[in-house]
Amino acid sequence: MKSSDSLYLQYLQILQEELIPAMGCTEPIAIAFGAAKACAVLGEFAQKVDLQVTANLIKNSKSVVVPNTGGLKGIVAATAAGIVAGDADEGLQVLSCVDSSRYNDIQDYLDSGKINVMLLDSEHTFDMIVTVYGVKSKATVQISRYHTNIVLITKDDEILFKQDLSDVSADANHTDRGCLSIQSILDFAQAVEIADIQDLLEQQITYNSQIADEGLKGEWGANIGATLMQVWGEDVKTRAKARASAGSDARMSGCELPVMIVTGSGNQGITVSVPVIEYAKELGVSHDTLLRALVVSNLVAVHLKSGIGWLSAYCGVVSAGAAAAAGIAWLHEADHEVINQTLINSLGSVSGIICDGAKPACASKIAASVEAGILGFHMAKQGRHFKDGEGIVKGDIESTIANVAKLGRDGMRETDKVIIDMMLD
């Protein structure tokens, strides 16, 4: 693959679209972003807010601490923080500039009863409509499909911006993920000019390593990462699982450090990168080799997740754990066939772990998914793999990925409804 090829340029663009900094769990942060953006359009302080959100947004927002709020949790807290102190120009770092002097203001607004949350019935699992009311005016912002994708802006019923939700191609901000395949991802990782990806991946290494460090140092969540280290020691496999889990421990509990997300998720961004970083240290590979391995893990994660959708009952860290294993296999100079079988083994083991919302337990699911990926790699190295027709596994990697996508997107749709009913009961 040459740097002038259209596919090369598409893959670079996908990395740039996917790897973006975010502070806090991305669903409540997206709500804070929408609230802050609506206030910016309104041009005055919001006297009242109507927030319409899909059930999946409720599921992924209700149990996590919103950073820079003094420990507040959930949808209403995220909305209040966005209204009172958010800066929409910062995107998914909308609350990054909020200091402790605003905590009481956020709490007061939350307690005022000015925020009305309603369930939004939408064909899109990710969809929200934020309407804010001033003294004489009102403004509305709708965000759909993914966290910063504004599709509608109105002020006093005048449409200022509108995107046709029925036309996926109208989304000029996202390159078509249909160009991805495991073979071409591996070819791209081998061919890519380091200068083209270095700044982006250096930021991923820095941010995601820092939050992993913090997760191990502090008392965050259920301390899954620290427990793993205390019980099983500090060999590379345990470090890979523990440090990735620790990053999630901190993030789900309101840590104010940013992470580099992938497929719209900080947990998945941590999972695809931190285990690969740990194995690179253990193996003593060159820094360029680490960067190429991260290209593999990030793009494989995007490929695995794109057919499922961003929000589903299928836990996204399963895909991320498998993708991390592909990156680890790359570090070991595995050939294409071993990497393909690594992915099949991993997906054949743990596909079906449910997503029941963002919360401290995500860290344990990361540990399980990374474990499955590493096991899958060692199986593949020894020529052992799951075979065509064994459950959802097919004889080639792309067909297996298609089956997993169908399972997560279609097969688990009713599961998603049942989980949401349980969580809202």
Side-chain angles (χ1 to χ4, degrees):
M1 189 183 296
K2 297 178 181 178
S3 60
S4 58
D5 291 349
S6 61
L7 196 59
Y8 182 102
L9 299 174
Q10 283 178 290
Y11 280 19
L12 278 183
Q13 187 63 35
I14 290 170
L15 284 171
Q16 291 162 2
E17 292 164 3
E18 291 282 356
L19 273 69
I20 56 176
M23 189 179 73
C25 180
T26 47
E27 278 72 53
I29 289 300
I31 291 169
F33 167 70
K37 182 66 176 179
C39 284
V41 174
L42 182 66
E44 59 178 295
F45 192 71
Q47 305 298 312
K48 187 178 77 166
V49 185
D50 286 338
L51 173 65
Q52 301 175 69
V53 288
T54 52
N56 278 85
L57 274 170
I58 295 173
K59 180 178 79 170
N60 276 9
S61 300
K62 71 183 293 289
S63 299
V64 288
V65 175
V66 182
N68 281 345
T69 62
L72 300 177
K73 184 184 289 187
I75 293 172
V76 180
T79 307
I83 294 290
V84 172
D87 181 355
D89 290 338
E90 294 295 321
L92 293 181
Q93 297 192 86
V94 59
L95 303 181
S96 60
C97 296
V98 181
D99 61 47
S100 58
S101 67
R102 305 305 306 275
Y103 291 177
N104 287 338
D105 296 333
I106 294 169
Q107 181 70 63
D108 289 345
Y109 198 87
L110 188 154
D111 292 339
S112 69
K114 295 177 179 178
I115 302 170
N116 180 33
V117 179
M118 296 166 281
L119 185 63
L120 176 62
D121 184 14
S122 171
E123 64 178 301
H124 303 286
T125 56
F126 192 111
D127 207 353
M128 76 174 85
I129 302 171
V130 187
T131 303
V132 293
Y133 302 85
V135 176
K136 294 182 179 179
S137 295
K138 69 175 182 177
T140 294
V141 168
Q142 182 176 5
I143 299 174
S144 188
R145 295 201 195 104
Y146 60 92
H147 301 75
T148 55
N149 189 42
I150 296 174
V151 298
L152 179 67
I153 301 175
T154 70
K155 184 173 182 182
D156 296 327
D157 299 321
E158 177 186 354
I159 296 175
L160 305 181
F161 172 79
K162 186 174 183 179
Q163 181 187 117
D164 183 1
L165 268 175
S166 65
D167 182 8
V168 176
S169 66
D171 179 11
N173 298 317
H174 264 201
T175 304
D176 182 9
R177 275 41 175 169
C179 65
L180 293 166
S181 71
I182 300 301
Q183 181 65 57
S184 59
I185 288 169
L186 298 177
D187 292 345
F188 173 75
Q190 186 65 51
V192 66
E193 297 286 343
I194 292 297
D196 288 341
I197 46 92
Q198 185 159 11
D199 289 348
L200 194 63
L201 295 179
E202 295 289 5
Q203 191 175 17
Q204 183 180 46
I205 292 168
T206 299
Y207 281 7
N208 295 0
S209 296
Q210 286 176 344
I211 202 165
D213 290 341
E214 177 58 34
L216 287 175
K217 287 190 301 185
E219 290 294 322
W220 297 103
N223 288 113
I224 301 297
T227 301
L228 285 165
M229 298 281 273
Q230 290 160 7
V231 175
W232 282 285
E234 298 190 13
D235 67 285
V236 64
K237 184 181 78 171
T238 303
R239 292 199 314 270
K241 295 187 296 181
R243 287 181 57 77
S245 299
S248 177
D249 282 328
R251 185 170 166 272
M252 294 292 92
S253 301
C255 179
E256 292 158 8
L257 290 172
V259 301
M260 290 293 278
I261 70 173
V262 71
T263 60
S265 165
N267 280 346
Q268 290 167 54
I270 292 167
T271 304
V272 301
S273 57
V274 173
V276 179
I277 295 165
E278 284 304 305
Y279 267 85
K281 292 176 186 175
E282 179 74 11
L283 296 171
V285 301
S286 71
H287 196 66
D288 284 3
T289 300
L290 168 59
L291 295 181
R292 293 185 191 280
L294 288 172
V295 168
V296 171
S297 60
N298 281 292
L299 286 177
V300 168
V302 175
H303 183 34
L304 296 180
K305 197 69 166 59
S306 60
I308 298 170
W310 281 27
L311 297 180
S312 154
Y314 184 98
C315 180
V317 300
V318 170
S319 301
I328 290 167
W330 177 276
L331 292 174
H332 284 83
E333 300 183 342
D335 62 25
H336 290 193
E337 183 58 25
V338 168
I339 292 174
N340 288 346
Q341 295 301 336
T342 295
L343 289 167
I344 288 173
N345 290 341
S346 178
L347 295 171
S349 296
V350 290
S351 289
I353 293 178
I354 62 165
C355 172
D356 52 345
K359 61 197 176 308
C362 292
S364 63
K365 298 179 183 184
I366 289 172
S369 298
V370 174
E371 168 77 26
I374 294 170
L375 172 62
F377 166 58
H378 286 291
M379 288 171 59
K381 269 206 313 181
Q382 297 178 38
R384 297 167 179 163
H385 57 85
F386 303 130
K387 296 178 175 60
D388 184 15
E390 295 180 348
I392 62 171
V393 169
K394 302 298 288 183
D396 65 279
I397 183 57
E398 298 301 336
S399 297
T400 299
I401 290 171
N403 267 8
V404 170
K406 187 175 182 181
L407 169 69
R409 183 187 62 248
D410 302 329
M412 297 181 77
R413 188 173 291 134
E414 189 63 29
T415 303
D416 202 30
K417 293 176 184 177
V418 172
I419 290 170
I420 291 167
D421 286 344
M422 289 176 175
M423 291 181 67
L424 298 182
D425 185 3

